[in-house]
Amino acid sequence: MGVIVRLLLLFVAFVGIRTGLCYTDPHDTAALLSLMSEWQNTPPNWGQSNDPCGVPWEGIVCNNKSRVIMLKLSTMGIKGTLNGDIGQLAQLQSLDLSYNNELGGSLTSNIGSLAQLTTLILSGCGFTGNIPQELGNLPLISFVALNSNKFSGRIPPSIGKLSNVYWLDIADNQISGPLPISNSKSPGLDLLLNAKHFHFNKNQLSGTIPEKLFSSPMQLIHILFDANNFVGEIPTSVGLVQSLEVLRMDRNFLNGVVPSSISNLTSLNELNLANNKLSGPMPDLEGMNNLNYVDLSNNTFDAAEAPFWFSTIESLAVLMVESGGIYGDIPQTLFSITGLEQVLLNDNAFNGSLNMGNSISSNLQIVNFQNNSISEVTLSDSYNETLILVDNPVCKAQLANTVYCQLQQRKPTPYSTSLTKCSSKACPLGQSISPQSCDCAYPYEGVLIFRAPFFRDVTNSSLFQQLEMSLWTKLKLTPGSIYLANPFFNSDNYLQVQVKLFPSNGIYFNRAEILKIGGDLSNQLFKPPAVFGPYYFIASPYPFPDGNAKGSSMSKGAIVGITIGCVVLIIGLLVVGIYAFKQKKKAERAILLSKPFASWGSGGKDAGGAPQLKGSRWFSFEELRKSTNNFSEANEIGSGGYGTVYRGLLPNGQNVAIKRAQQGSMQGGLEFKTDIKLLSRVHARINARREAGAFEGRQ
Ligand SMILES: *[C@@H]1O[C@H](CO)[C@@H](O)[C@H](O)[C@H]1NC(C)=O
Ligand SMILES: *[C@@H]1O[C@H](CO)[C@@H](O)[C@H](O)[C@H]1NC(C)=O
């Protein structure tokens, strides 16, 4: 945005203020107009007034001083870039541009000027380039969600200055380099003692996870470091973060021995260290009695018998140790853990017998022992769910040709919200059937992604129905107006669920409703049931009925229009100004002319010596010319030292004598003055006598 255009916008805003048309702070108005000039699809009421706080532009919240404090534009379909003028919104506390996937470009360093900012949400946009280090200049910020963009470069160490941050989500970008740690010269992530969420997953972060990163005063509940390029050992210090509930370090290149301090994390619900190069003994998780989900697959642990904790952690729902080098017998008590859902112990070396016992968990669905050395199996009548024994000796003998020895076993049907009461109804393109009313409507759609659920069962209706209920309750929708479908664990091992939310009235949500729902999801105001763990949401664009035809409120054209208008206005004002100036000069000249003795002395210097003539009159040359019949010879009545005297007849019938200086003569100035002085004395005496007479007459 050119400086000139910016000045013009500021000018327009000031004119608005001055003319009493608007109350919004002119800097804020100018900044918004400037942002708008680079955005398509801003809400239709943007730019309809030049007063963003007056009848508020949608997505804008102002304080009572008419300063913009919130700018929330989740899922508006905004396209374009975020320019540096955002930095002018000096009182801005909350900025949420989430789920505008065509809003991108680099993130302006002016974001660091927003000293009042507490919330910055850019989830699911298309931002590229570095995270600006100026982000570290925002001491009040507590919620930072930059996830699911295309940010690259390193984590700026200045982030370590955000001492109030509790949510730090930079996941799902292309951020590389090491985790910055504080030293005498520079801050680092180890200083973020109020942070509860380190969501750094799905990036290209590298180097070791520094020992100094964690300390006991930390409040972290979620550490998501999965799917990066970390190397080296898991730091012992992680065991100091007693508040931890989720620890995901899977899919890195971590090696060495898992520190025993990890067993101090007794609040942990999920531990996922899969797909690294960890070695030494398998970690001892004895006593971690809140663990629901454990995945230690695909490491290089020492070959050993099944650890004791397999059957002692009563909270266990998911046990995954693929390729764990485990041999010997399979502990029977494992299968009687009440909440157990899935046991994935394929690609190990179990070589004893399998007897799942008779008190098998009613939640158990999948038991996978593919590719082990099991030679004897005692089948249980109380278990009719999936049991995979392919590639075990037992499939060549005892169980040959049974269902247990075939890979294609019954696939459980993932949950989806029931539409059976709606019969099979077809909806127009873009609409879907609301499970609440069975009417067609345009739902607000997207995917909920749970990064560390405490379960793995995608068929569990009661869990997903709890999720539905929490959605309609917390998002204030009509009960039943949620459709969930196709839950599955994606390639990142996140639970992904398709979500459709339906409007309470009519077939559309209005913008205010979308802004509210999008904001509640991006800002984590919506909390799913605890077993779903940390989540994020990515919305699909919403097909607003006012569309983008009218919706692209302030196009480049409009801005150009305003700008041209301003230029024309300014030129107009200049022209008027110059005209007024000229008129003033003209008037001054006229006044000067009407004071014949103003320049009595040369250059008007001794004007003070000019005779004061009472009742004298000023005549223009034209008048004199007329009254003397164009200074005709017939009117000549004599000639003096420096000019000719004419007889003149004034329009009122008075006869006068007019002395005309010789044309072109520079002489006679002195004589002229002498004449005037003489005449003025005569005139004064006549006047004095007249006044005295008048006085006498009245007596
Ligand atoms: C576990 O925590 C206790 C104190 O809470 C501490 O004394 C002990 O050293 C820790 N264990 C490990 C292995 O870090
Ligand atoms: C373990 O590695 C295999 C082969 O790369 C892969 O197919 C499997 O999904 C991995 N297991 C887990 C739990 O990630």
Side-chain angles (χ1 to χ4, degrees):
M1 192 90 181
V3 172
I4 291 178
V5 175
R6 207 169 305 167
L7 285 176
L8 287 174
L9 291 173
L10 195 59
F11 172 80
V12 170
F14 269 112
V15 168
I17 288 272
R18 291 282 167 265
T19 53
L21 288 174
C22 42
Y23 306 98
T24 313
D25 181 274
H27 293 95
D28 288 4
T29 306
L32 290 170
L33 285 171
S34 167
L35 294 180
M36 199 172 157
S37 71
E38 291 180 22
W39 286 352
Q40 290 176 46
N41 303 343
T42 49
N45 83 343
W46 276 49
Q48 274 182 6
S49 74
N50 57 353
D51 188 12
C53 294
V55 176
W57 291 6
E58 258 172 319
I60 287 171
V61 177
C62 299
N63 64 11
N64 56 11
K65 295 198 177 95
S66 288
R67 297 299 309 254
V68 176
I69 55 169
M70 290 186 187
L71 181 54
K72 296 181 146 199
L73 293 170
S74 182
T75 336
M76 288 293 107
I78 291 173
K79 297 183 190 180
T81 55
L82 179 63
N83 77 32
D85 286 346
I86 188 77
Q88 296 294 315
L89 297 174
Q91 296 299 315
L92 196 66
Q93 296 166 16
S94 181
L95 177 62
D96 180 354
L97 302 173
S98 58
Y99 319 141
N100 292 293
N101 63 354
E102 292 186 74
L103 175 62
S106 61
L107 181 57
T108 168
S109 60
N110 290 3
I111 211 87
S113 314
L114 301 173
Q116 302 301 313
L117 204 66
T118 59
T119 301
L120 173 62
I121 305 175
L122 304 175
S123 316
C125 295
F127 285 97
T128 55
N130 289 351
I131 297 173
Q133 62 161 29
E134 288 79 1
L135 198 58
N137 300 343
L138 305 176
L140 301 181
I141 206 158
S142 63
F143 194 99
V144 179
L146 306 179
N147 59 293
S148 307
N149 280 279
K150 294 179 206 113
F151 284 113
S152 54
R154 301 182 162 214
I155 301 176
S158 60
I159 296 270
K161 293 193 287 182
L162 306 181
S163 57
N164 284 305
V165 85
Y166 86 91
W167 183 276
L168 180 56
D169 193 340
I170 57 169
D172 196 8
N173 280 290
Q174 291 149 25
I175 299 165
S176 56
L179 297 171
I181 294 303
S182 68
N183 57 38
S184 57
K185 296 189 202 93
S186 159
L189 298 173
D190 52 309
L191 302 179
L192 300 180
L193 299 184
N194 286 310
K196 289 191 186 279
H197 301 265
F198 273 180
H199 298 180
F200 300 171
N201 46 308
K202 288 196 82 175
N203 278 293
Q204 291 149 26
L205 294 166
S206 58
T208 58
I209 300 171
E211 192 64 47
K212 201 184 164 189
L213 179 57
F214 303 114
S215 59
S216 49
M218 276 191 147
Q219 319 265 314
L220 287 166
I221 61 172
H222 296 154
I223 295 178
L224 305 179
F225 284 1
D226 50 293
N228 278 289
N229 298 328
F230 289 120
V231 297
E233 298 187 4
I234 296 173
T236 306
S237 57
V238 75
L240 298 170
V241 190
Q242 300 269 327
S243 47
L244 214 53
E245 294 171 12
V246 171
L247 179 58
R248 281 195 69 165
M249 294 189 167
D250 49 305
R251 283 173 300 145
N252 281 286
F253 301 96
L254 299 171
N255 59 25
V257 177
V258 178
S260 60
S261 65
I262 217 159
S263 63
N264 256 1
L265 298 175
T266 48
S267 300
L268 210 59
N269 299 106
E270 167 156 353
L271 175 65
N272 193 337
L273 303 176
N275 300 298
N276 279 289
K277 294 173 169 169
L278 298 168
S279 57
M282 188 174 297
D284 182 7
L285 308 185
E286 189 73 40
M288 299 176 71
N289 291 327
N290 284 299
L291 274 177
N292 304 112
Y293 190 117
V294 175
D295 190 352
L296 302 173
S297 304
N298 294 334
N299 280 289
T300 54
F301 294 123
D302 297 345
E305 294 202 8
F308 200 50
W309 57 264
F310 268 26
S311 30
T312 61
I313 300 177
E314 293 293 334
S315 50
L316 214 54
V318 179
L319 176 62
M320 297 170 73
V321 190
E322 298 177 20
S323 302
I326 314 169
Y327 60 83
D329 285 329
I330 298 149
Q332 194 187 93
T333 42
L334 166 63
F335 303 97
S336 57
I337 292 173
T338 329
L340 197 68
E341 295 171 5
Q342 296 197 9
V343 175
L344 306 183
L345 294 170
N346 46 294
D347 302 290
N348 278 287
F350 286 108
N351 54 1
S353 60
L354 172 65
N355 182 355
M356 292 168 63
N358 284 315
S359 54
I360 295 174
S361 159
S362 58
N363 296 302
L364 196 60
Q365 287 185 320
I366 299 176
V367 176
N368 187 349
F369 279 100
Q370 186 184 352
N371 195 23
N372 276 278
S373 300
I374 301 166
S375 54
E376 197 191 327
V377 173
T378 308
L379 290 171
S380 168
D381 292 341
S382 59
Y383 184 68
N384 300 312
E385 305 295 326
T386 303
L387 170 62
I388 302 172
L389 294 168
V390 178
D391 298 331
N392 278 279
V394 75
C395 280
K396 292 211 167 74
Q398 186 198 350
L399 294 179
N401 303 319
T402 63
V403 66
Y404 311 108
C405 297
Q406 292 159 13
L407 262 187
Q408 300 306 316
Q409 290 202 30
R410 171 164 58 87
K411 268 208 166 159
T413 318
Y415 175 81
S416 71
T417 308
S418 169
L419 291 174
T420 46
K421 67 162 183 175
C422 300
S423 63
S424 54
K425 188 173 173 181
C427 286
L429 190 68
Q431 298 188 33
S432 309
I433 297 175
S434 162
Q436 183 254 327
S437 61
C438 291
D439 292 334
C440 294
Y442 291 96
Y444 180 51
E445 277 186 74
V447 284
L448 270 169
I449 295 165
F450 300 98
R451 289 157 162 170
F454 306 165
F455 65 94
R456 217 181 149 81
D457 177 4
V458 293
T459 68
N460 190 330
S461 324
S462 96
L463 274 183
F464 288 102
Q465 282 164 5
Q466 282 177 45
L467 179 60
E468 286 169 9
M469 199 189 298
S470 69
L471 280 164
W472 79 61
T473 309
K474 290 177 185 162
L475 301 177
K476 301 200 163 57
L477 299 168
T478 313
S481 59
I482 314 288
Y483 178 79
L484 300 180
N486 191 28
F488 72 105
F489 279 80
N490 66 19
S491 58
D492 298 310
N493 240 331
Y494 306 146
L495 172 61
Q496 187 169 324
V497 185
Q498 192 198 338
V499 185
K500 294 181 182 183
L501 311 173
F502 288 85
S504 306
N505 304 304
I507 60 168
Y508 283 107
F509 284 110
N510 64 34
R511 272 170 206 270
E513 290 167 326
I514 294 290
L515 288 174
K516 171 86 171 69
I517 298 171
D520 284 357
L521 290 164
S522 70
N523 202 4
Q524 302 282 320
L525 288 175
F526 162 70
K527 294 249 180 288
V531 290
F532 284 86
Y535 79 93
Y536 71 98
F537 179 73
I538 296 292
S540 308
Y542 191 73
F544 291 106
D546 47 22
N548 300 334
K550 186 170 149 237
S552 58
S553 45
M554 197 174 254
S555 58
K556 277 237 154 68
I559 277 291
V560 167
I562 284 191
T563 308
I564 290 175
C566 285
V567 170
V568 167
L569 187 60
I570 285 174
I571 291 175
L573 286 177
L574 274 178
V575 168
V576 168
I578 290 169
Y579 179 73
F581 182 75
K582 281 197 166 162
Q583 283 301 101
K584 189 168 176 235
K585 280 278 164 199
K586 210 170 182 179
E588 276 172 5
R589 224 178 303 139
I591 288 165
L592 210 63
L593 283 175
S594 71
K595 290 180 193 156
F597 304 111
S599 55
W600 178 253
S602 57
K605 266 173 208 150
D606 64 355
Q612 300 299 310
L613 299 186
K614 255 189 191 164
S616 66
R617 254 200 76 185
W618 176 77
F619 296 93
S620 70
F621 179 74
E622 194 57 23
E623 283 172 290
L624 297 180
R625 200 176 57 79
K626 269 190 184 155
S627 67
T628 56
N629 197 13
N630 198 17
F631 302 107
S632 70
E633 276 183 39
N635 287 42
E636 280 187 29
I637 51 175
S639 62
Y642 65 94
T644 314
V645 180
Y646 298 86
R647 177 169 48 80
L649 185 65
L650 294 179
N652 65 5
Q654 246 185 313
N655 273 308
V656 288
I658 294 167
K659 191 170 194 176
R660 187 189 189 190
Q662 206 91 53
Q663 227 173 338
S665 164
M666 288 297 118
Q667 308 294 314
L670 198 64
E671 288 87 339
F672 176 70
K673 283 183 186 174
T674 313
D675 279 359
I676 296 292
K677 277 179 182 163
L678 180 70
L679 282 169
S680 68
R681 273 201 293 279
V682 173
H683 182 89
R685 268 201 295 278
I686 293 167
N687 271 351
R689 216 179 292 148
R690 249 191 226 153
E691 276 168 22
F695 186 74
E696 279 159 19
R698 229 180 281 148
Q699 288 280 315

PDB file of all heavy atoms in Angstrom, residues 512-527:
ATOM      1  N   ALA A 512     -22.868 -13.621  11.163  1.00  0.00           N
ATOM      2  CA  ALA A 512     -22.605 -13.489  12.600  1.00  0.00           C
ATOM      3  C   ALA A 512     -22.510 -14.875  13.237  1.00  0.00           C
ATOM      4  O   ALA A 512     -21.644 -15.134  14.072  1.00  0.00           O
ATOM      5  CB  ALA A 512     -23.690 -12.661  13.250  1.00  0.00           C
ATOM      6  N   GLU A 513     -23.394 -15.779  12.807  1.00  0.00           N
ATOM      7  CA  GLU A 513     -23.376 -17.139  13.371  1.00  0.00           C
ATOM      8  C   GLU A 513     -22.094 -17.877  12.983  1.00  0.00           C
ATOM      9  O   GLU A 513     -21.472 -18.551  13.816  1.00  0.00           O
ATOM     10  CB  GLU A 513     -24.601 -17.924  12.884  1.00  0.00           C
ATOM     11  CG  GLU A 513     -25.902 -17.424  13.494  1.00  0.00           C
ATOM     12  CD  GLU A 513     -27.149 -17.968  12.780  1.00  0.00           C
ATOM     13  OE1 GLU A 513     -27.114 -18.163  11.538  1.00  0.00           O
ATOM     14  OE2 GLU A 513     -28.158 -18.177  13.457  1.00  0.00           O
ATOM     15  N   ILE A 514     -21.705 -17.731  11.725  1.00  0.00           N
ATOM     16  CA  ILE A 514     -20.472 -18.396  11.276  1.00  0.00           C
ATOM     17  C   ILE A 514     -19.266 -17.841  12.028  1.00  0.00           C
ATOM     18  O   ILE A 514     -18.390 -18.598  12.487  1.00  0.00           O
ATOM     19  CB  ILE A 514     -20.282 -18.230   9.747  1.00  0.00           C
ATOM     20  CG1 ILE A 514     -21.386 -18.962   8.987  1.00  0.00           C
ATOM     21  CG2 ILE A 514     -18.900 -18.703   9.304  1.00  0.00           C
ATOM     22  CD1 ILE A 514     -21.333 -20.465   9.044  1.00  0.00           C
ATOM     23  N   LEU A 515     -19.242 -16.513  12.177  1.00  0.00           N
ATOM     24  CA  LEU A 515     -18.126 -15.893  12.905  1.00  0.00           C
ATOM     25  C   LEU A 515     -18.047 -16.428  14.326  1.00  0.00           C
ATOM     26  O   LEU A 515     -16.970 -16.708  14.849  1.00  0.00           O
ATOM     27  CB  LEU A 515     -18.296 -14.369  12.947  1.00  0.00           C
ATOM     28  CG  LEU A 515     -18.058 -13.643  11.628  1.00  0.00           C
ATOM     29  CD1 LEU A 515     -18.403 -12.166  11.760  1.00  0.00           C
ATOM     30  CD2 LEU A 515     -16.615 -13.804  11.190  1.00  0.00           C
ATOM     31  N   LYS A 516     -19.218 -16.598  14.927  1.00  0.00           N
ATOM     32  CA  LYS A 516     -19.280 -17.079  16.308  1.00  0.00           C
ATOM     33  C   LYS A 516     -18.802 -18.536  16.393  1.00  0.00           C
ATOM     34  O   LYS A 516     -17.944 -18.878  17.202  1.00  0.00           O
ATOM     35  CB  LYS A 516     -20.726 -16.944  16.805  1.00  0.00           C
ATOM     36  CG  LYS A 516     -21.022 -17.588  18.140  1.00  0.00           C
ATOM     37  CD  LYS A 516     -20.702 -16.633  19.276  1.00  0.00           C
ATOM     38  CE  LYS A 516     -21.187 -17.142  20.614  1.00  0.00           C
ATOM     39  NZ  LYS A 516     -20.425 -18.314  21.064  1.00  0.00           N
ATOM     40  N   ILE A 517     -19.349 -19.389  15.532  1.00  0.00           N
ATOM     41  CA  ILE A 517     -18.984 -20.811  15.586  1.00  0.00           C
ATOM     42  C   ILE A 517     -17.505 -20.997  15.235  1.00  0.00           C
ATOM     43  O   ILE A 517     -16.762 -21.679  15.950  1.00  0.00           O
ATOM     44  CB  ILE A 517     -19.851 -21.644  14.614  1.00  0.00           C
ATOM     45  CG1 ILE A 517     -21.335 -21.543  15.009  1.00  0.00           C
ATOM     46  CG2 ILE A 517     -19.409 -23.098  14.608  1.00  0.00           C
ATOM     47  CD1 ILE A 517     -22.279 -22.145  13.982  1.00  0.00           C
ATOM     48  N   GLY A 518     -17.081 -20.350  14.134  1.00  0.00           N
ATOM     49  CA  GLY A 518     -15.673 -20.455  13.723  1.00  0.00           C
ATOM     50  C   GLY A 518     -14.754 -19.981  14.831  1.00  0.00           C
ATOM     51  O   GLY A 518     -13.746 -20.623  15.144  1.00  0.00           O
ATOM     52  N   GLY A 519     -15.130 -18.852  15.456  1.00  0.00           N
ATOM     53  CA  GLY A 519     -14.311 -18.291  16.537  1.00  0.00           C
ATOM     54  C   GLY A 519     -14.253 -19.216  17.743  1.00  0.00           C
ATOM     55  O   GLY A 519     -13.200 -19.408  18.338  1.00  0.00           O
ATOM     56  N   ASP A 520     -15.384 -19.827  18.086  1.00  0.00           N
ATOM     57  CA  ASP A 520     -15.402 -20.722  19.248  1.00  0.00           C
ATOM     58  C   ASP A 520     -14.554 -21.971  19.012  1.00  0.00           C
ATOM     59  O   ASP A 520     -13.958 -22.516  19.948  1.00  0.00           O
ATOM     60  CB  ASP A 520     -16.839 -21.149  19.577  1.00  0.00           C
ATOM     61  CG  ASP A 520     -17.611 -20.039  20.271  1.00  0.00           C
ATOM     62  OD1 ASP A 520     -17.013 -18.979  20.547  1.00  0.00           O
ATOM     63  OD2 ASP A 520     -18.810 -20.224  20.534  1.00  0.00           O
ATOM     64  N   LEU A 521     -14.488 -22.402  17.744  1.00  0.00           N
ATOM     65  CA  LEU A 521     -13.673 -23.575  17.434  1.00  0.00           C
ATOM     66  C   LEU A 521     -12.196 -23.215  17.318  1.00  0.00           C
ATOM     67  O   LEU A 521     -11.330 -23.953  17.791  1.00  0.00           O
ATOM     68  CB  LEU A 521     -14.160 -24.242  16.144  1.00  0.00           C
ATOM     69  CG  LEU A 521     -15.517 -24.948  16.262  1.00  0.00           C
ATOM     70  CD1 LEU A 521     -16.104 -25.234  14.888  1.00  0.00           C
ATOM     71  CD2 LEU A 521     -15.379 -26.249  17.052  1.00  0.00           C
ATOM     72  N   SER A 522     -11.895 -22.064  16.729  1.00  0.00           N
ATOM     73  CA  SER A 522     -10.490 -21.679  16.541  1.00  0.00           C
ATOM     74  C   SER A 522      -9.857 -21.273  17.867  1.00  0.00           C
ATOM     75  O   SER A 522      -8.670 -21.424  18.074  1.00  0.00           O
ATOM     76  CB  SER A 522     -10.372 -20.536  15.543  1.00  0.00           C
ATOM     77  OG  SER A 522     -10.877 -19.338  16.091  1.00  0.00           O
ATOM     78  N   ASN A 523     -10.673 -20.747  18.746  1.00  0.00           N
ATOM     79  CA  ASN A 523     -10.194 -20.202  20.013  1.00  0.00           C
ATOM     80  C   ASN A 523     -10.236 -21.230  21.144  1.00  0.00           C
ATOM     81  O   ASN A 523      -9.967 -20.904  22.283  1.00  0.00           O
ATOM     82  CB  ASN A 523     -11.104 -19.015  20.358  1.00  0.00           C
ATOM     83  CG  ASN A 523     -10.462 -18.043  21.299  1.00  0.00           C
ATOM     84  OD1 ASN A 523      -9.299 -18.192  21.657  1.00  0.00           O
ATOM     85  ND2 ASN A 523     -11.217 -17.069  21.729  1.00  0.00           N
ATOM     86  N   GLN A 524     -10.651 -22.471  20.812  1.00  0.00           N
ATOM     87  CA  GLN A 524     -10.740 -23.552  21.799  1.00  0.00           C
ATOM     88  C   GLN A 524     -11.777 -23.246  22.874  1.00  0.00           C
ATOM     89  O   GLN A 524     -11.698 -23.788  23.978  1.00  0.00           O
ATOM     90  CB  GLN A 524      -9.372 -23.821  22.452  1.00  0.00           C
ATOM     91  CG  GLN A 524      -8.293 -24.185  21.471  1.00  0.00           C
ATOM     92  CD  GLN A 524      -8.369 -25.630  20.999  1.00  0.00           C
ATOM     93  OE1 GLN A 524      -8.646 -26.525  21.777  1.00  0.00           O
ATOM     94  NE2 GLN A 524      -8.144 -25.858  19.724  1.00  0.00           N
ATOM     95  N   LEU A 525     -12.732 -22.342  22.567  1.00  0.00           N
ATOM     96  CA  LEU A 525     -13.813 -22.121  23.533  1.00  0.00           C
ATOM     97  C   LEU A 525     -14.696 -23.359  23.575  1.00  0.00           C
ATOM     98  O   LEU A 525     -15.252 -23.703  24.606  1.00  0.00           O
ATOM     99  CB  LEU A 525     -14.619 -20.881  23.164  1.00  0.00           C
ATOM    100  CG  LEU A 525     -13.876 -19.571  23.403  1.00  0.00           C
ATOM    101  CD1 LEU A 525     -14.676 -18.390  22.906  1.00  0.00           C
ATOM    102  CD2 LEU A 525     -13.537 -19.404  24.878  1.00  0.00           C
ATOM    103  N   PHE A 526     -14.827 -24.001  22.407  1.00  0.00           N
ATOM    104  CA  PHE A 526     -15.488 -25.303  22.400  1.00  0.00           C
ATOM    105  C   PHE A 526     -14.518 -26.329  22.971  1.00  0.00           C
ATOM    106  O   PHE A 526     -13.379 -26.438  22.523  1.00  0.00           O
ATOM    107  CB  PHE A 526     -15.907 -25.707  20.986  1.00  0.00           C
ATOM    108  CG  PHE A 526     -16.191 -27.176  20.883  1.00  0.00           C
ATOM    109  CD1 PHE A 526     -17.316 -27.713  21.496  1.00  0.00           C
ATOM    110  CD2 PHE A 526     -15.315 -28.037  20.230  1.00  0.00           C
ATOM    111  CE1 PHE A 526     -17.563 -29.082  21.442  1.00  0.00           C
ATOM    112  CE2 PHE A 526     -15.562 -29.398  20.167  1.00  0.00           C
ATOM    113  CZ  PHE A 526     -16.692 -29.919  20.780  1.00  0.00           C
ATOM    114  N   LYS A 527     -14.971 -27.047  23.992  1.00  0.00           N
ATOM    115  CA  LYS A 527     -14.154 -28.119  24.564  1.00  0.00           C
ATOM    116  C   LYS A 527     -14.886 -29.441  24.376  1.00  0.00           C
ATOM    117  O   LYS A 527     -15.995 -29.612  24.869  1.00  0.00           O
ATOM    118  CB  LYS A 527     -13.949 -27.888  26.056  1.00  0.00           C
ATOM    119  CG  LYS A 527     -13.122 -26.649  26.358  1.00  0.00           C
ATOM    120  CD  LYS A 527     -11.755 -27.023  26.917  1.00  0.00           C
ATOM    121  CE  LYS A 527     -10.912 -25.802  27.238  1.00  0.00           C
ATOM    122  NZ  LYS A 527     -10.426 -25.101  26.035  1.00  0.00           N
TER     123      LYS A 527
END
